[in-house]
Amino acid sequence: MLTGRFPSPRSSDRVRPDVAVVGAGPIGLAIAWRCAARGLRVVVHDPASGSGASAVAAGMLSPVSEAYFGERDLTALLLASAARWPEFAAELTAATGADIGYRTEGTLMVGLTGDDLAEARRLWAYQQGLGLPVTPLRPSELRDREPALAPRVRGGALAPTDHQVDPRLLVPALRTAAQRAGAVLVPHAVQRLSEVDARITVVAAGCGAAGLTGLPVRPVKGQILRLRAPDGVAPGFRHVIRGYADGEPAYLVPRADGEVVLGATVEERSDTTVTAGAVQRLLRAGIDLLPELAEYDLVEAVAGLRPGTPDNAPILGPLPGRPDVLAATGHHRHGIVLTPITADLIADLVLTGVPDRLLAPFRADRFGGAGSAGAGGVGSGSVGSGAVGTGGPERATEGDRWS
């Protein structure tokens, strides 16, 4: 772990950066913003800021509907970060004047068939057992809230504290905030950590973190669709809709400008090819849940790579044997919701050298020998260069989840 307090940025060392952040997605930019705002000299390395998983992400802030069996530590972190989002969004908007698409209508979780509803109720019972706000609703109550839902929907539940943000607005706002605070963005692909000269290096490179650090971060492919309501009107629904349609998981995220994000597959692959089968499955599920989508324009079909880990939880903190290298990666499906807490915890660790207790379950050394000191400086991955590894046969690893 880090030792002692970080040296004052007013010390005699006027050239070398205090902090180098490798990766300029939402996680890296938020860390840079927090560190620069506290007076540290910050450099951010990335040849294509915002071109990774965040460019494909739907932006759901869903600690309740994302709470899943066997992930209590992760759920606690998701809840803690979601609680910071209102203030984080307000602070970011105040710093930049930018609209980031932050909305608070909540999430409706639905099941189309009896089997879908039975599976959903099993998960809701678990979430309620954790004390999370999940309110079951009859079909008539669902349609009172969202009349556009299909008449076939058998039932659902409301997660009122699950919100949303638009990642394609969030990343430019974070970039502006970081630069206004004094961070310098360098359009440079880091091939090895030995290329980076700073007192502390933060690796927030998504899937590229594997090659740079030796950590077990793998690409998890996700395909997603973007549709647009006709005639430029707002979508015919307000809540985020998450559900099963004949066993197919899907979510629908409405934007104020008429866009609807429909996603997403979860595949153990490292390519970013959009497949006809995935598009068909997503459209079928989406239209089964919200029939009016059949009249929407299909404007984009895109695939991205989430940075996954063996236990689906992020890796946060120093590499084993490398107290000068901090990992902030492996966020998988939760990178947007975990942005505020990751930025705060890593910035605090940089400044004080004292890890917050919230970091304990997410230490880099929990995977045994992964992320050793030797791997820290000799990796072959590069920020923004795409997948690391060769992937494997296409298969959904989390088909029973809501995302």
Side-chain angles (χ1 to χ4, degrees):
M1 82 182 241
L2 300 174
T3 57
R5 185 174 294 276
F6 197 88
S8 167
R10 299 184 182 276
S11 68
S12 59
D13 183 357
R14 297 292 182 181
V15 178
R16 191 184 189 204
D18 297 314
V19 182
V21 180
V22 183
I27 297 291
L29 289 171
I31 292 170
W33 177 33
R34 291 307 199 205
C35 287
R38 300 181 194 192
L40 299 179
R41 295 182 298 272
V42 180
V43 174
V44 184
H45 297 273
D46 196 319
S49 173
S51 63
S54 64
V56 182
M60 293 175 294
L61 312 177
S62 305
V64 175
S65 54
E66 288 275 347
Y68 199 74
F69 305 104
E71 296 182 349
R72 286 178 178 260
D73 289 334
L74 177 57
T75 296
L77 191 70
L78 293 171
L79 289 166
S81 193
R84 301 185 188 205
W85 252 104
E87 183 177 353
F88 182 81
E91 185 179 353
L92 183 57
T93 298
T96 64
D99 174 19
I100 60 172
Y102 181 64
R103 295 178 58 171
T104 61
E105 288 89 346
T107 294
L108 289 177
M109 304 177 287
V110 302
L112 184 67
T113 69
D115 288 343
D116 293 333
L117 186 59
E119 180 64 21
R121 282 173 172 164
R122 186 172 71 94
L123 184 57
W124 300 340
Y126 168 76
Q127 293 164 344
Q128 289 174 316
L130 297 178
L132 302 180
V134 174
T135 304
L137 299 172
R138 295 187 299 273
S140 60
E141 294 173 315
L142 283 172
R143 278 183 282 277
D144 285 343
R145 287 171 168 80
E146 292 294 359
L149 280 169
R152 289 179 56 205
V153 171
R154 295 291 299 274
L158 173 67
T161 58
D162 280 7
H163 299 159
Q164 65 151 301
V165 70
D166 187 341
R168 293 185 175 182
L169 300 178
L170 173 66
V171 170
L174 285 170
R175 188 163 53 241
T176 298
Q179 290 177 309
R180 288 183 178 177
V184 176
L185 271 63
V186 179
H188 170 252
V190 174
Q191 303 291 341
R192 301 171 183 269
L193 292 186
S194 57
E195 300 172 10
V196 179
D197 183 24
R199 295 180 183 178
I200 297 292
T201 299
V202 178
V203 181
C207 294
L212 291 169
T213 65
L215 292 168
V217 179
R218 74 189 191 282
V220 181
K221 179 180 178 179
Q223 300 186 55
I224 200 166
L225 308 179
R226 283 181 165 80
L227 301 93
R228 187 165 295 277
D231 301 321
V233 301
F237 63 106
R238 299 178 302 110
H239 297 79
V240 173
I241 308 295
R242 302 171 68 99
Y244 284 118
D246 288 318
E248 185 71 33
Y251 58 71
L252 301 107
V253 183
R255 306 279 196 229
D257 65 356
E259 181 180 83
V260 172
V261 182
L262 171 57
T265 68
V266 180
E267 306 164 44
E268 291 289 349
R269 294 179 63 96
S270 60
D271 65 276
T272 55
T273 302
V274 175
T275 63
V279 173
Q280 180 190 40
R281 293 195 305 273
L282 289 172
L283 285 175
R284 180 187 296 136
I287 293 170
D288 281 349
L289 294 173
L290 280 163
E292 71 175 44
L293 291 184
E295 303 302 321
Y296 283 33
D297 299 331
L298 176 59
V299 297
E300 184 180 54
V302 64
L305 300 173
R306 312 171 182 92
T309 65
D311 59 7
N312 294 324
I315 303 172
L316 305 173
L319 300 189
R322 290 294 303 271
D324 60 327
V325 179
L326 307 182
T329 188
H331 291 76
H332 199 210
R333 297 170 297 111
H334 307 299
I336 303 301
V337 66
L338 289 177
T339 292
I341 202 164
T342 300
D344 290 341
L345 293 177
I346 295 298
D348 288 346
L349 183 55
V350 167
L351 281 161
T352 69
V354 179
D356 190 284
R357 61 181 179 80
L358 286 172
L359 290 172
F362 310 104
R363 292 164 52 111
D365 60 4
R366 72 184 188 270
F367 302 113
S372 65
V378 297
S380 60
S382 62
V383 181
S385 62
V388 177
T390 58
E394 179 174 351
R395 63 186 180 89
T397 59
E398 299 173 9
D400 56 346
R401 296 198 178 204
W402 289 93
S403 65

